[in-house]
Amino acid sequence: MKDHDSPASEALCLVRHHFPHAVGALLGGSAARGHTSASSDLDVAVLLPDSDTSRREVIRHNGRLAELFIHTVTDFQQALEHNRGKG
């Protein structure tokens, strides 16, 4: 990880690299609140076309852990409703 890379630019790079066909993405967690440390992971929701599958993955990208919440367009609304009360 380079010192000048913000969590948002790291997340964008991750999504472009691993999910070039993504419809959209959203950065969450401490990075979205601006409270990251050197050991913070990236929490990224990734929206994919319906031809893909929904899942959760933890990967390492450029030395940083990333927790990915991957959803298809069709199941995205259901996922939002399920997670609404969880913060």
Side-chain angles (χ1 to χ4, degrees):
M1 178 179 74
K2 299 175 197 140
D3 289 335
H4 67 277
D5 287 345
S6 70
S9 65
E10 288 183 65
L12 180 59
C13 178
L14 180 154
V15 171
R16 286 181 173 164
H17 178 78
H18 293 281
F19 304 98
H21 60 294
V23 176
L26 180 68
L27 180 62
S30 61
R33 293 187 303 274
H35 300 287
T36 59
S37 69
S39 63
S40 296
D41 69 344
L42 294 174
D43 298 299
V44 183
V46 181
L47 186 60
L48 298 177
D50 287 333
S51 58
D52 213 308
T53 58
S54 295
R55 59 199 180 275
R56 187 171 159 196
E57 295 180 9
V58 176
I59 65 170
R60 186 170 296 277
H61 181 79
N62 291 341
R64 185 184 284 233
L65 283 177
E67 188 170 9
L68 306 175
F69 303 89
I70 304 164
H71 299 285
T72 63
V73 171
T74 297
D75 76 358
F76 184 66
Q77 182 64 38
Q78 180 182 356
L80 285 176
E81 291 172 8
H82 175 74
N83 290 308
R84 181 172 294 167
K86 296 182 179 183

